[in-house]
Amino acid sequence: MRRTLPGAFLLALLAGPAFAAPLEIASAWLREPPPGSSGAAIYMELHNRGDAPVAVVGARVESAASAAVHGHRHADGMMRMYPVPRLEIAAGASVRLEPGGYHLMVGGLAAAPRAGAVLPFCLRLEDGAEQCAEARVRGIGE
Ligand SMILES: [Cu+2]
């Protein structure tokens, strides 16, 4: 039997998205959705550890129908959400997704995530790579 594993392993290492994507996702969390709601907003910190800009151009949550980056802006005394099709993080910079600002809007969750659980998600980057992480579900008063 030929031993092909080391070669394949090396190839996987070279082709792995970790090499192409210097983006680090930290402290991801979401609030437990209220009963009857199938939507949620995921917050997180994005750190670009690389020496070139990185842009988030999409997202996916396996158990949800939709996931997209949104922003918030004040208009006529109201907070309105708007889609952010491309969120760029400059080289060496960080961007916070936090309540009242950017968030990852999740819609059509198959099952409502409960406090203490984690919700896996992936961000799609402009170069085609994906960066995945888990968001921790916080309770209502947490
Ligand atoms: Cu939103």
Side-chain angles (χ1 to χ4, degrees):
M1 195 176 124
R2 276 172 50 192
R3 292 173 51 113
T4 54
L5 190 62
F9 180 67
L10 184 64
L11 200 65
L13 270 181
L14 291 171
F19 274 71
L23 189 69
E24 179 191 323
I25 303 171
S27 310
W29 67 279
L30 66 149
R31 186 77 64 203
E32 182 182 271
S37 170
S38 64
I42 301 179
Y43 307 105
M44 70 196 83
E45 293 171 16
L46 299 176
H47 305 291
N48 183 354
R49 305 292 188 203
D51 52 11
V54 170
V56 177
V57 296
R60 65 183 172 91
V61 175
E62 226 163 89
S63 55
S66 66
V69 176
H70 281 179
H72 259 132
R73 76 161 77 88
H74 284 280
D76 306 321
M78 289 177 64
M79 286 286 269
R80 289 182 188 280
M81 295 193 293
Y82 60 95
V84 179
R86 186 178 184 277
L87 178 62
E88 184 172 305
I89 303 104
S94 298
V95 169
R96 273 174 178 272
L97 284 70
E98 57 192 351
Y102 293 124
H103 54 279
L104 179 60
M105 194 84 223
V106 182
L109 281 161
R114 289 294 160 229
V118 293
L119 186 64
F121 66 97
C122 294
L123 300 180
R124 193 158 48 83
L125 307 182
E126 203 164 45
D127 66 1
E130 268 194 337
Q131 199 73 6
C132 299
E134 288 183 333
R136 201 176 71 82
V137 184
R138 292 188 190 173
I140 302 294
E142 205 179 332

